[in-house]
PDB file of all heavy atoms in Angstrom:
ATOM      1  N   ASP Y 294      27.218  -4.826 -25.104  1.00 96.00           N
ATOM      2  CA  ASP Y 294      27.109  -4.071 -23.854  1.00 96.00           C
ATOM      3  C   ASP Y 294      25.782  -4.400 -23.159  1.00 96.00           C
ATOM      4  O   ASP Y 294      24.992  -3.515 -22.830  1.00 96.00           O
ATOM      5  CB  ASP Y 294      27.220  -2.554 -24.127  1.00 96.00           C
ATOM      6  CG  ASP Y 294      27.223  -1.744 -22.832  1.00 96.00           C
ATOM      7  OD1 ASP Y 294      27.580  -2.299 -21.776  1.00 96.00           O
ATOM      8  OD2 ASP Y 294      26.861  -0.555 -22.890  1.00 96.00           O
ATOM      9  N   TYR Y 297      22.847  -2.879 -24.841  1.00 98.00           N
ATOM     10  CA  TYR Y 297      22.808  -1.423 -25.016  1.00 98.00           C
ATOM     11  C   TYR Y 297      23.490  -0.955 -26.304  1.00 98.00           C
ATOM     12  O   TYR Y 297      23.770   0.228 -26.469  1.00 98.00           O
ATOM     13  CB  TYR Y 297      23.408  -0.714 -23.797  1.00 98.00           C
ATOM     14  CG  TYR Y 297      22.443  -0.730 -22.621  1.00 98.00           C
ATOM     15  CD1 TYR Y 297      22.566  -1.649 -21.594  1.00 98.00           C
ATOM     16  CD2 TYR Y 297      21.379   0.163 -22.580  1.00 98.00           C
ATOM     17  CE1 TYR Y 297      21.665  -1.679 -20.542  1.00 98.00           C
ATOM     18  CE2 TYR Y 297      20.474   0.142 -21.528  1.00 98.00           C
ATOM     19  CZ  TYR Y 297      20.614  -0.773 -20.511  1.00 98.00           C
ATOM     20  OH  TYR Y 297      19.718  -0.801 -19.484  1.00 98.00           O
ATOM     21  N   HIS Y 337      23.293   6.229 -28.850  1.00 98.00           N
ATOM     22  CA  HIS Y 337      24.162   5.580 -29.838  1.00 98.00           C
ATOM     23  C   HIS Y 337      23.455   4.398 -30.488  1.00 98.00           C
ATOM     24  O   HIS Y 337      22.435   3.933 -30.000  1.00 98.00           O
ATOM     25  CB  HIS Y 337      25.449   5.093 -29.161  1.00 98.00           C
ATOM     26  CG  HIS Y 337      25.210   4.463 -27.816  1.00 98.00           C
ATOM     27  ND1 HIS Y 337      25.438   5.132 -26.636  1.00 98.00           N
ATOM     28  CD2 HIS Y 337      24.723   3.258 -27.455  1.00 98.00           C
ATOM     29  CE1 HIS Y 337      25.124   4.353 -25.611  1.00 98.00           C
ATOM     30  NE2 HIS Y 337      24.675   3.209 -26.085  1.00 98.00           N
ATOM     31  N   PHE Y 379      34.041   4.566 -19.530  1.00 90.00           N
ATOM     32  CA  PHE Y 379      34.656   3.283 -19.164  1.00 90.00           C
ATOM     33  C   PHE Y 379      36.174   3.409 -19.304  1.00 90.00           C
ATOM     34  O   PHE Y 379      36.765   2.916 -20.272  1.00 90.00           O
ATOM     35  CB  PHE Y 379      34.185   2.165 -20.129  1.00 90.00           C
ATOM     36  CG  PHE Y 379      32.704   1.908 -20.155  1.00 90.00           C
ATOM     37  CD1 PHE Y 379      32.038   1.673 -21.361  1.00 90.00           C
ATOM     38  CD2 PHE Y 379      31.961   1.850 -18.981  1.00 90.00           C
ATOM     39  CE1 PHE Y 379      30.674   1.390 -21.405  1.00 90.00           C
ATOM     40  CE2 PHE Y 379      30.590   1.570 -19.011  1.00 90.00           C
ATOM     41  CZ  PHE Y 379      29.944   1.347 -20.224  1.00 90.00           C
ATOM     42  N   PHE Y 401      30.932   5.328 -25.251  1.00 97.00           N
ATOM     43  CA  PHE Y 401      30.873   4.106 -24.453  1.00 97.00           C
ATOM     44  C   PHE Y 401      31.851   3.092 -25.064  1.00 97.00           C
ATOM     45  O   PHE Y 401      33.014   3.412 -25.223  1.00 97.00           O
ATOM     46  CB  PHE Y 401      29.421   3.615 -24.355  1.00 97.00           C
ATOM     47  CG  PHE Y 401      28.556   4.578 -23.542  1.00 97.00           C
ATOM     48  CD1 PHE Y 401      28.009   5.728 -24.102  1.00 97.00           C
ATOM     49  CD2 PHE Y 401      28.339   4.344 -22.193  1.00 97.00           C
ATOM     50  CE1 PHE Y 401      27.252   6.615 -23.339  1.00 97.00           C
ATOM     51  CE2 PHE Y 401      27.585   5.231 -21.424  1.00 97.00           C
ATOM     52  CZ  PHE Y 401      27.039   6.366 -21.999  1.00 97.00           C
ATOM     53  N   GLN Y 405      29.769   1.118 -29.988  1.00 98.00           N
ATOM     54  CA  GLN Y 405      28.572   1.947 -29.785  1.00 98.00           C
ATOM     55  C   GLN Y 405      28.852   3.344 -30.330  1.00 98.00           C
ATOM     56  O   GLN Y 405      29.567   4.122 -29.706  1.00 98.00           O
ATOM     57  CB  GLN Y 405      28.226   2.026 -28.284  1.00 98.00           C
ATOM     58  CG  GLN Y 405      27.652   0.731 -27.730  1.00 98.00           C
ATOM     59  CD  GLN Y 405      27.668   0.678 -26.215  1.00 98.00           C
ATOM     60  OE1 GLN Y 405      28.688   0.966 -25.584  1.00 98.00           O
ATOM     61  NE2 GLN Y 405      26.554   0.300 -25.615  1.00 98.00           N
ATOM     62  N   ARG Y 435      12.588   3.869 -20.562  1.00 98.00           N
ATOM     63  CA  ARG Y 435      13.788   4.316 -19.857  1.00 98.00           C
ATOM     64  C   ARG Y 435      14.718   4.947 -20.889  1.00 98.00           C
ATOM     65  O   ARG Y 435      15.172   4.274 -21.818  1.00 98.00           O
ATOM     66  CB  ARG Y 435      14.477   3.131 -19.185  1.00 98.00           C
ATOM     67  CG  ARG Y 435      15.803   3.462 -18.523  1.00 98.00           C
ATOM     68  CD  ARG Y 435      16.407   2.186 -17.956  1.00 98.00           C
ATOM     69  NE  ARG Y 435      17.669   2.388 -17.263  1.00 98.00           N
ATOM     70  CZ  ARG Y 435      18.866   2.415 -17.853  1.00 98.00           C
ATOM     71  NH1 ARG Y 435      18.964   2.295 -19.164  1.00 98.00           N
ATOM     72  NH2 ARG Y 435      19.954   2.564 -17.142  1.00 98.00           N
ATOM     73  N   ASP Y 437      17.867   5.850 -21.916  1.00 98.00           N
ATOM     74  CA  ASP Y 437      19.219   5.461 -21.534  1.00 98.00           C
ATOM     75  C   ASP Y 437      20.233   6.578 -21.788  1.00 98.00           C
ATOM     76  O   ASP Y 437      20.192   7.242 -22.823  1.00 98.00           O
ATOM     77  CB  ASP Y 437      19.605   4.218 -22.359  1.00 98.00           C
ATOM     78  CG  ASP Y 437      20.990   3.714 -22.041  1.00 98.00           C
ATOM     79  OD1 ASP Y 437      21.195   3.335 -20.883  1.00 98.00           O
ATOM     80  OD2 ASP Y 437      21.842   3.699 -22.946  1.00 98.00           O
ATOM     81  N   ALA Y 438      21.115   6.765 -20.838  1.00 97.00           N
ATOM     82  CA  ALA Y 438      22.266   7.675 -21.002  1.00 97.00           C
ATOM     83  C   ALA Y 438      21.872   9.038 -21.574  1.00 97.00           C
ATOM     84  O   ALA Y 438      22.614   9.620 -22.367  1.00 97.00           O
ATOM     85  CB  ALA Y 438      23.321   7.009 -21.890  1.00 97.00           C
ATOM     86  N   GLU Y 479      17.531   8.199 -17.382  1.00 98.00           N
ATOM     87  CA  GLU Y 479      18.691   7.628 -16.701  1.00 98.00           C
ATOM     88  C   GLU Y 479      19.768   8.697 -16.587  1.00 98.00           C
ATOM     89  O   GLU Y 479      20.532   8.940 -17.522  1.00 98.00           O
ATOM     90  CB  GLU Y 479      19.258   6.416 -17.460  1.00 98.00           C
ATOM     91  CG  GLU Y 479      20.279   5.679 -16.616  1.00 98.00           C
ATOM     92  CD  GLU Y 479      21.539   5.225 -17.343  1.00 98.00           C
ATOM     93  OE1 GLU Y 479      21.649   5.442 -18.564  1.00 98.00           O
ATOM     94  OE2 GLU Y 479      22.432   4.683 -16.685  1.00 98.00           O
ATOM     95  N   HIS Y 546      21.286  -3.119 -12.682  1.00 97.00           N
ATOM     96  CA  HIS Y 546      22.198  -3.913 -13.513  1.00 97.00           C
ATOM     97  C   HIS Y 546      23.586  -3.298 -13.621  1.00 97.00           C
ATOM     98  O   HIS Y 546      24.516  -3.939 -14.104  1.00 97.00           O
ATOM     99  CB  HIS Y 546      21.600  -4.071 -14.907  1.00 97.00           C
ATOM    100  CG  HIS Y 546      21.582  -2.768 -15.651  1.00 97.00           C
ATOM    101  ND1 HIS Y 546      20.815  -1.692 -15.240  1.00 97.00           N
ATOM    102  CD2 HIS Y 546      22.252  -2.339 -16.751  1.00 97.00           C
ATOM    103  CE1 HIS Y 546      21.025  -0.682 -16.063  1.00 97.00           C
ATOM    104  NE2 HIS Y 546      21.891  -1.043 -16.990  1.00 97.00           N
ATOM    105  N   ASP Y 547      23.724  -2.022 -13.238  1.00 97.00           N
ATOM    106  CA  ASP Y 547      25.014  -1.349 -13.371  1.00 97.00           C
ATOM    107  C   ASP Y 547      25.793  -1.381 -12.057  1.00 97.00           C
ATOM    108  O   ASP Y 547      25.269  -1.737 -11.004  1.00 97.00           O
ATOM    109  CB  ASP Y 547      24.811   0.095 -13.843  1.00 97.00           C
ATOM    110  CG  ASP Y 547      24.626   0.174 -15.357  1.00 97.00           C
ATOM    111  OD1 ASP Y 547      25.202  -0.662 -16.079  1.00 97.00           O
ATOM    112  OD2 ASP Y 547      23.900   1.080 -15.813  1.00 97.00           O
ATOM    113  N   ARG Y 671      30.290  -6.190 -14.289  1.00 97.00           N
ATOM    114  CA  ARG Y 671      28.860  -5.980 -14.002  1.00 97.00           C
ATOM    115  C   ARG Y 671      28.078  -7.289 -14.139  1.00 97.00           C
ATOM    116  O   ARG Y 671      27.011  -7.440 -13.576  1.00 97.00           O
ATOM    117  CB  ARG Y 671      28.264  -4.921 -14.950  1.00 97.00           C
ATOM    118  CG  ARG Y 671      28.767  -3.509 -14.659  1.00 97.00           C
ATOM    119  CD  ARG Y 671      28.197  -2.500 -15.622  1.00 97.00           C
ATOM    120  NE  ARG Y 671      28.614  -2.750 -17.009  1.00 97.00           N
ATOM    121  CZ  ARG Y 671      28.208  -2.029 -18.045  1.00 97.00           C
ATOM    122  NH1 ARG Y 671      27.381  -1.012 -17.856  1.00 97.00           N
ATOM    123  NH2 ARG Y 671      28.622  -2.305 -19.263  1.00 97.00           N
ATOM    124  N   ARG Y 675      24.559 -10.119 -12.839  1.00 98.00           N
ATOM    125  CA  ARG Y 675      23.617 -10.352 -13.939  1.00 98.00           C
ATOM    126  C   ARG Y 675      23.484 -11.852 -14.199  1.00 98.00           C
ATOM    127  O   ARG Y 675      23.486 -12.303 -15.338  1.00 98.00           O
ATOM    128  CB  ARG Y 675      24.085  -9.632 -15.206  1.00 98.00           C
ATOM    129  CG  ARG Y 675      24.116  -8.110 -15.069  1.00 98.00           C
ATOM    130  CD  ARG Y 675      24.681  -7.462 -16.333  1.00 98.00           C
ATOM    131  NE  ARG Y 675      24.763  -6.013 -16.214  1.00 98.00           N
ATOM    132  CZ  ARG Y 675      25.281  -5.217 -17.143  1.00 98.00           C
ATOM    133  NH1 ARG Y 675      25.767  -5.737 -18.257  1.00 98.00           N
ATOM    134  NH2 ARG Y 675      25.316  -3.914 -16.980  1.00 98.00           N
TER     135      ARG Y 675
HETATM  136  C1  GLC I 894      23.485   3.037 -19.457  1.00 73.45           C
HETATM  137  C2  GLC I 894      23.250   1.592 -19.072  1.00 73.45           C
HETATM  138  C3  GLC I 894      24.539   0.850 -19.084  1.00 73.45           C
HETATM  139  C4  GLC I 894      25.160   0.958 -20.463  1.00 73.45           C
HETATM  140  C5  GLC I 894      25.248   2.425 -20.936  1.00 73.45           C
HETATM  141  C6  GLC I 894      25.552   2.525 -22.401  1.00 73.45           C
HETATM  142  O1  GLC I 894      24.264   3.699 -18.555  1.00 73.45           O
HETATM  143  O2  GLC I 894      22.631   1.533 -17.804  1.00 73.45           O
HETATM  144  O3  GLC I 894      24.373  -0.484 -18.711  1.00 73.45           O
HETATM  145  O4  GLC I 894      26.446   0.428 -20.432  1.00 73.45           O
HETATM  146  O5  GLC I 894      24.038   3.112 -20.740  1.00 73.45           O
HETATM  147  O6  GLC I 894      24.411   2.347 -23.177  1.00 73.45           O
END
Side-chain angles (χ1 to χ4, degrees):
D294 185 23
Y297 284 99
H337 42 259
F379 300 139
F401 293 82
Q405 288 164 311
R435 175 183 182 274
D437 180 62
E479 191 223 358
H546 69 295
D547 278 329
R671 290 179 297 178
R675 296 176 182 176

